[in-house]
Amino acid sequence: MSATEEKKRPITPPIEEGENKKQHTGGKEQQKKQPKVHRRKYKAKDIDQTSPMGVLQFEIDAILNEHNLVKDDVSNNMSLILNDESAQQKYHRVVSDVKIELLTSNGEGLALIPHPDESKKNQVCIVPFGLPGDIVTVKVFKSHPLYVESDLVSVETEASVRDNSLINCSYFGKCSGCQYQNVEYEQQLKFKRETIVNAYKFFAPVLNNNNRLPEIRDTEPSPLKYRYRTKLTPHFNVPYKKNFVLETRPNLGFGSKGRPTWRKDVEIPDGSILDIEECTIGTPIINIGMKNERARFEQEFKKYKKGATILLREDTNVVNNGEDFELKEASTDVEGKISSVEVNIEGENKKLVKTCVTKSRQIVTEYVNGYTFEFSAGEFFQNNNSILPAVTNYVKSNLAIPNSKEGEPNYLVDAYCGSGLFSITCSDNVSKVIGVEVSADSVKFAERNAKNNNIENALFLVGKAEQIFGSIDTPSNRTSVILDPPRKGCDEVFLNQLSDYHPAKIVYISCNVHSQARDVEWFINNTENGKDYYVESIKGFDFFPQTHHVESVAVLALKN
Ligand SMILES: C[S@@+](CC[C@H](N)C(=O)[O-])C[C@H]1O[C@@H](n2cnc3c(N)ncnc32)[C@H](O)[C@@H]1O
């Protein structure tokens, strides 16, 4: 055996996990001390079931069910893959003739491919940018106990939903931001509705299996399909080395999704961060800001000792036509002039003057349905301004308490209210609004926003939603509650209190329909008064066209 062959040998013999090592060391001479062999073990990470990785487990079950398979039929020998280089090569290979069967909630294709080790077995393979019906070639590059990850190499037969001529961005197919640019918009909306259907199937099985869910409504389209995102955060990396000085400008842009090669019309350079000059889902002023900040970075990158994120947040100044106005601090062009974009408001004698703010503590303004909202540029605010009138109107129309008599008072509790978007836009239909929010900073803005919009019936409290009901004195049978929690959803403490409070209506808005479905199931089936409610409607809103994301609004009402 030559020296090079020697080097290629596996580091350790391929011992199965749990196998008695003595079997391999039998014989007297084996009593001698053997050098300790370090074997790598697969460590499963704790995952939130409602995160994309958690949802994937349900999606794997779905594809297995479809083929009458069980998990053993697709399992991978992780001990072997981690400890045996030749096994690794066998697993991480190119596979052709792969049929994409499902789309995950993360917007990736899911397929079954032959197992590299056992002819009777298969593997579940994730194929980013693969669409249901595509026949593709993939390169498997990472293995997990029940699935493998791959890059899309080429598309041999295109799915009927694929139309690559629709692609609007030269980085689509490698950038991790968009998944659906090559799908007609109507079809994107259908995919998103399917995500909601599946979320309730996976996370609300009791309600789903007992026909206690309404038909999921059609997804509400975004008025803007591109150029809608009012916030972008391009970033860059600097290698971590002592006294390291950057010689060339690092890539500034967004994370890449593997190393796919399927786009034959453009060559997208590799890199964990793609260098992106323009993002077609960002608003015009955000892209002007991106150009300005890239030019500045070109001059200043040597100053950076570590990677960073650049904030680009749209700021909207409402200006009466013909009135003089001064622009606040914002991104400037190479000549030091503040960049701005003007938009006329139809039928009104005012215009919107938009700039791009880069400082996270700076106060910015959004204009929604005639209301203005101020908040810190780095804080949460919905990122697609164009769909906000439709969403806020929908929420408002669903707060009405059934069988109300003329003149009867009615109240609104807006849990997780942020800087007051729903409290304020829904305030004119109700006697009093109480907004609750954990961030004191956001509450200050909610109060300020109520004042600026001449809203006098709103009160905002700093506190955890889980602790609010003690301090809320509105009669529950005349009160509707809005929930708009972060991605992880509500906790059981909150849902129990909500059930004890027993409001007349609940409108639950969510950017993670999986945690929403879990919470709705738990609220109705596990809380004291949950049985008094039914799910009146569920509808998706497309805040992020071209991507897999969908927001969902579920309305719960009291049974008669
Ligand atoms: C998805 S945002 C919604 C904000 C607001 N409804 C809007 O649309 O602008 C969720 C908000 O919940 C707040 N939050 C997070 N955990 C909370 C908790 N336990 N109690 C109250 N608010 C919380 C966050 O600070 C954030 O403002």
Side-chain angles (χ1 to χ4, degrees), residues 175-193:
C175 177
S176 58
C178 292
Q179 294 74 40
Y180 298 152
Q181 287 196 12
N182 52 359
V183 174
E184 285 282 1
Y185 189 60
E186 276 304 309
Q187 183 58 46
Q188 293 187 26
L189 297 176
K190 285 184 189 156
F191 283 160
K192 295 185 188 203
R193 182 179 173 278

Side-chain angles (χ1 to χ4, degrees), residues 26-41:
K28 259 195 175 174
E29 70 287 4
Q30 303 296 342
Q31 301 296 330
K32 284 186 212 153
K33 250 193 167 177
Q34 293 290 309
K36 216 173 178 183
V37 176
H38 174 70
R39 287 184 61 77
R40 294 173 66 201
K41 276 192 185 154

Side-chain angles (χ1 to χ4, degrees), residues 379-382 388 414-423 436-439 442 461-468 482-489 491 494 509-511 543 551:
E379 290 274 319
F380 176 86
F381 200 85
Q382 309 288 356
L388 290 181
D414 181 9
Y416 313 89
C417 70
S419 50
L421 174 68
F422 292 108
S423 306
V436 184
E437 164 60 50
V438 76
S439 152
S442 294
L461 307 172
V462 181
K464 288 195 166 180
E466 299 80 333
Q467 292 154 1
I468 53 168
I482 293 180
L483 317 178
D484 184 12
R487 291 194 74 75
K488 66 178 183 205
D491 68 7
F494 174 79
I509 304 135
S510 175
C511 55
F543 275 60
E551 304 261 329

